[in-house]
Amino acid sequence: MNEMKTSADRGEAHRTQWQRKEPEGVPDRRARTKLQTQLVVAGGGPSGVAAALAAARGGAKVVLCQDRSVLGGNASSEIRMHMVGSSYRGSELSTEARETGIVEELVLECAARNPQRNANMLDLILYEKCRAEPNLTLMLNTTVVGVRMDGDRIAAVYANRESTEDFFELEAELFADCTGDGRLGYEAGAWFTTGREAAEEYGESAAGANRDAYRLGSSLMFTSRDMGRPMPFVAPPWARKFTEEDLRLRGHDTWEYGYWWIEFGGTMDTIKDNERIRDELLAIMLGVWDHIKNSGNHPESANWAFDWFGFLPGKRESRRFIGRHVLTQNDIESAADFDDVIAYGGWPMDTHPPEGIDAKDENPCDQPHTPYMYGIPLRALVSRNVRNLLFAGRNLSATHIAFSSTRVMATCAAVGEGLGTYAAVALTGKSGAFAADAWRDPATVAETQQRLLRQGAYLPGVTLADRNLAAEARIAASSEQRDGPAGAVVDGHTRTVAGPRGVRPDLAVPGSHRWMSDPSDPAPWIELVWDTPIALRRVTLVFDTGLHRVLTLSQSDAAQPLMVWGPQPETLKALRAVAQTERGEVEIGRLAGNYQRQVRFETELTGVTRLRLSELETNGLDHARIVEIRCE
């Protein structure tokens, strides 16, 4: 009698037949590769990239894990949201609000190298910047999935890279969660909150009467273009239907760049329900486009067609960690003067109805402006219960109302640079045991602030304390404007923020804080003369890059008149720097094709009596400008 076999038996036999067996002596394919470093940064959005670059440039060994194949987070080609921050509050030679430091370096690079405004070029620039740092190990497609704890400290994180079937155990002294969703901190048991606080919890007038679990929703973006001929669109049967009445509070009369108000998921769990949210956002996005193309209300859209749309939701809000300080509405509105300030913000307190597009009778956002550019303290980046955990980005320690301002990407990047700079100071300054608690040390905080300023960042109310030999020289120029005297290059300030919606008046010093030659001067120059010869090893020049204006990679036609997309016209493109020594003239540097804000010339000279900057050429402005000259 033949033995009967079930389908399950036959399946098992099939699996056994095709099972791959490792040769004897080969390690378990699932075994984790151990890597040791000083700082692990999880998350490669603007905050994570800035944190990793700042720490690596500061001398720390860094591993940056990003769970996608590209860097940039919501600004990447996968989502294509433009980076915004404080810049919308700017006014020329009055309030220069745009973030500087690493984020400015990246944006200026993208503006100069990407005249076509290609979304993938920003991906490439971020990738190149990370690859260029010898202290930084970049791990793309690598997701943090767990941790190994040692009491209240993280000893290591576990990370998987499924694309290569590699699995890692990353040991470090400090860990930074820049994932947005807070995955690393969540695995470590860091205290966090979600949703919206009640008004009485922190005394916030903009908060509701009761705490709830609602959040800002997520969005899907698209781009489209005029094809020059009729382009039909047939919506899938599962696309949502919208009328002109449904969208009456949501402008949709331009189509080249999609709508941030295609928003959904704020009443759901934006982490656990992310796949459902994505599916519904696709139905909403395609339904909005169907309305534009086929409702008859917008016949001028006949020749327009999608040329890209996203499948990865741009997420606004999920977890917010509890730090040593929780930033509140009151901190932002009063522009609290924190002694440990490491970044600043200035976007409005931008809240949205949790129902998103389904709140058709509500405005899609409420954006009361903050009175001033406000400081963000280091303590809001330090976990309250996991000793060596830091965080930057939208998972910053803040209430929902304060977060609605700090969450935008240029602010997140500024905070990330503050985190990375602090980590480098803490890790390279003293023993490893000190690093986790260095935020308590005033000397470490002060050095962090000074490094940030030297790197080109701005901190409200903080100025460089370094000796500047340039300030000890007599300064002369071929010409100067009344509002731009030559002596301003050594006044200790690198921007003007005393104008409308600038910093708090007691933290601002009036003036343009830059030398500006006269437009009629055909060959402007500026020079420093020392009566007593000096030793000169470094010259740092800070240029005007138009910090009063918006500058961000955006597919929106409406945004373009606000910007100069390319090298900024105020910036010096070329110059020649010559030092006069006891042995004669020495050229210490030349610039050509410059578009960056800050440049350095390294030298080793003694007996220097004069430094002259000449052959000045701008990127378009009719006169030369220099914001600061620092000599060491």
Side-chain angles (χ1 to χ4, degrees):
M1 183 177 179
N2 293 331
E3 182 179 356
M4 298 289 292
K5 289 190 175 181
T6 67
S7 60
D9 294 330
R10 289 193 295 272
E12 182 60 36
H14 176 77
R15 285 193 295 273
T16 301
Q17 180 182 357
W18 291 99
Q19 181 179 6
R20 174 184 173 185
K21 292 186 177 180
E22 299 287 359
E24 291 186 10
V26 173
D28 180 0
R29 291 185 299 126
R30 307 290 297 192
R32 294 192 176 274
T33 301
K34 280 194 175 184
L35 298 176
Q36 290 187 323
T37 189
Q38 291 180 294
L39 172 68
V40 170
V41 178
S47 61
V49 169
L53 288 175
R57 292 173 179 180
K61 298 294 184 182
V62 182
V63 170
L64 172 59
C65 290
Q66 163 71 330
D67 62 354
R68 309 295 298 180
S69 58
V70 295
L71 298 164
N74 282 346
S76 74
S77 62
E78 293 188 306
I79 298 174
R80 306 194 185 190
M81 191 62 205
H82 40 221
M83 288 196 291
V84 295
S86 295
S87 59
Y88 282 93
R89 65 196 304 129
S91 56
E92 188 171 7
L93 292 180
S94 176
T95 302
E96 296 182 307
R98 196 169 79 232
E99 295 77 6
T100 47
I102 287 175
V103 65
E104 174 80 338
E105 173 189 337
L106 298 172
V107 171
L108 291 173
E109 186 92 5
C110 191
R113 289 178 53 191
N114 189 19
Q116 69 273 34
R117 291 188 281 138
N118 183 287
N120 298 96
M121 276 300 295
L122 180 59
D123 300 342
L124 178 62
I125 288 168
L126 297 176
Y127 175 75
E128 287 178 348
K129 292 289 184 181
C130 290
R131 280 199 60 173
E133 293 301 325
N135 286 335
L136 198 163
T137 299
L138 176 61
M139 302 176 71
L140 295 173
N141 297 307
T142 305
T143 305
V144 170
V145 297
V147 301
R148 174 165 57 84
M149 298 295 293
D150 179 11
D152 63 353
R153 296 178 69 258
I154 303 171
V157 301
Y158 301 127
N160 292 353
R161 189 169 63 208
E162 297 290 349
S163 61
T164 59
E165 297 181 355
D166 285 317
F167 312 96
F168 303 97
E169 184 175 354
L170 308 174
E171 297 180 338
E173 296 173 56
L174 290 177
F175 297 84
D177 191 327
C178 302
T179 62
D181 280 348
R183 177 67 185 273
L184 170 55
Y186 176 76
E187 296 291 342
W191 294 343
F192 69 90
T193 188
T194 58
R196 306 185 294 188
E197 292 85 359
E200 65 178 13
E201 292 184 54
Y202 292 95
E204 295 179 307
S205 62
N210 300 306
R211 174 180 271 272
D212 61 41
Y214 292 164
R215 316 169 186 195
L216 301 185
S218 303
S219 293
L220 281 182
M221 304 302 294
F222 69 81
T223 60
S224 66
R225 57 194 172 106
D226 186 340
M227 303 298 292
R229 59 187 174 86
M231 299 296 294
F233 174 74
V234 179
W238 42 266
R240 292 268 297 268
K241 298 294 183 182
F242 294 97
T243 67
E244 196 69 7
E245 174 64 19
D246 292 333
L247 304 178
R248 63 187 175 85
L249 296 178
R250 289 159 172 80
H252 54 285
D253 54 354
T254 62
W255 312 301
E256 79 286 348
Y257 181 52
Y259 311 116
W260 58 263
W261 49 255
I262 292 180
E263 182 174 359
F264 181 78
T267 61
M268 303 166 71
D269 185 330
T270 50
I271 296 174
K272 293 297 185 183
D273 295 324
N274 193 49
E275 294 296 296
R276 291 173 55 201
I277 291 170
R278 186 270 323 284
D279 292 346
E280 190 64 18
L281 280 170
L282 277 169
I284 292 168
M285 180 184 68
L286 294 173
V288 169
W289 189 245
D290 183 40
H291 168 78
I292 290 169
K293 292 288 292 182
N294 299 320
S295 68
N297 295 105
H298 305 280
E300 62 275 26
S301 69
N303 291 355
W304 286 73
F306 281 140
D307 64 357
W308 171 87
F309 52 83
F311 274 78
L312 181 63
K315 193 179 296 185
R316 291 182 176 85
E317 183 176 10
S318 46
R319 299 183 181 104
R320 301 189 306 279
F321 289 117
I322 305 299
R324 299 288 175 166
H325 179 84
V326 178
L327 201 67
T328 70
Q329 173 191 348
N330 300 319
D331 291 332
I332 287 175
E333 288 187 331
S334 67
D337 187 12
F338 296 108
D339 57 8
D340 60 343
V341 58
I342 48 79
Y344 73 93
W347 185 252
M349 291 181 289
D350 182 7
T351 57
H352 300 187
E355 299 84 3
I357 197 169
D358 291 327
K360 65 179 185 178
D361 295 323
E362 294 184 51
N363 288 321
C365 67
D366 180 35
Q367 296 181 318
H369 285 284
T370 55
Y372 309 110
M373 298 157 60
Y374 58 86
I376 298 172
L378 173 62
R379 285 166 290 161
L381 282 61
V382 181
S383 173
R384 192 174 295 185
N385 70 310
V386 178
R387 190 173 168 194
N388 60 343
L389 174 65
L390 306 168
F391 27 77
R394 60 183 174 84
N395 56 19
L396 182 79
S397 177
T399 65
H400 173 80
I401 297 298
F403 148 89
S404 72
S405 175
T406 63
R407 65 184 174 83
V408 290
M409 285 185 280
T411 303
C412 289
V415 174
E417 182 172 2
L419 182 155
T421 304
Y422 160 74
V425 173
L427 288 164
T428 60
K430 296 185 180 180
S431 67
F434 169 80
D437 298 313
W439 60 274
R440 302 177 188 272
D441 177 44
T444 299
V445 173
E447 175 56 23
T448 298
Q449 293 171 331
Q450 292 296 301
R451 280 202 195 182
L452 283 166
L453 295 177
R454 289 194 292 269
Q455 291 162 196
Y458 170 70
L459 303 175
V462 184
T463 56
L464 269 174
D466 294 352
R467 181 186 179 189
N468 183 5
L469 294 173
E472 300 170 14
R474 289 182 285 110
I475 301 172
S478 57
S479 64
E480 62 183 24
Q481 297 184 38
R482 184 184 64 179
D483 294 330
V489 297
V490 294
D491 70 6
H493 300 278
T494 56
R495 64 173 68 198
T496 178
V497 287
R501 296 196 295 162
V503 301
R504 250 176 41 190
D506 59 311
L507 302 178
V509 176
S512 73
H513 304 299
R514 73 209 65 206
W515 166 61
M516 298 187 288
S517 70
D518 191 278
S520 64
D521 186 346
W525 53 262
I526 186 170
E527 70 176 15
L528 286 63
V529 178
W530 290 272
D531 294 329
T532 302
I534 65 166
L536 186 63
R537 62 184 181 86
R538 179 182 297 120
V539 176
T540 301
L541 304 176
V542 180
F543 301 135
D544 190 333
T545 49
L547 297 181
H548 62 282
R549 72 170 67 93
V550 175
L551 187 62
T552 181
L553 176 60
S554 176
Q555 307 305 315
S556 168
D557 287 346
Q560 303 315 308
L562 305 175
M563 301 191 284
V564 174
W565 190 247
Q568 302 306 288
E570 300 91 343
T571 308
L572 284 183
K573 176 169 66 175
L575 63 75
R576 180 173 183 246
V578 175
Q580 177 70 49
T581 73
E582 294 164 333
R583 298 184 178 183
E585 287 190 349
V586 178
E587 181 178 282
I588 64 170
R590 278 184 179 269
L591 280 185
N594 177 63
Y595 47 78
Q596 286 291 349
R597 178 172 172 80
Q598 183 164 292
V599 299
R600 287 192 178 93
F601 297 130
E602 304 288 342
T603 188
E604 289 293 339
L605 292 176
T606 58
V608 175
T609 57
R610 185 177 65 196
L611 174 67
R612 187 181 180 97
L613 305 179
S614 62
E615 300 179 27
L616 309 181
E617 183 181 353
T618 73
N619 280 294
L621 195 67
D622 63 358
H623 63 276
R625 293 182 180 183
I626 296 178
V627 173
E628 186 171 55
I629 301 175
R630 296 201 299 270
C631 295
E632 303 170 58

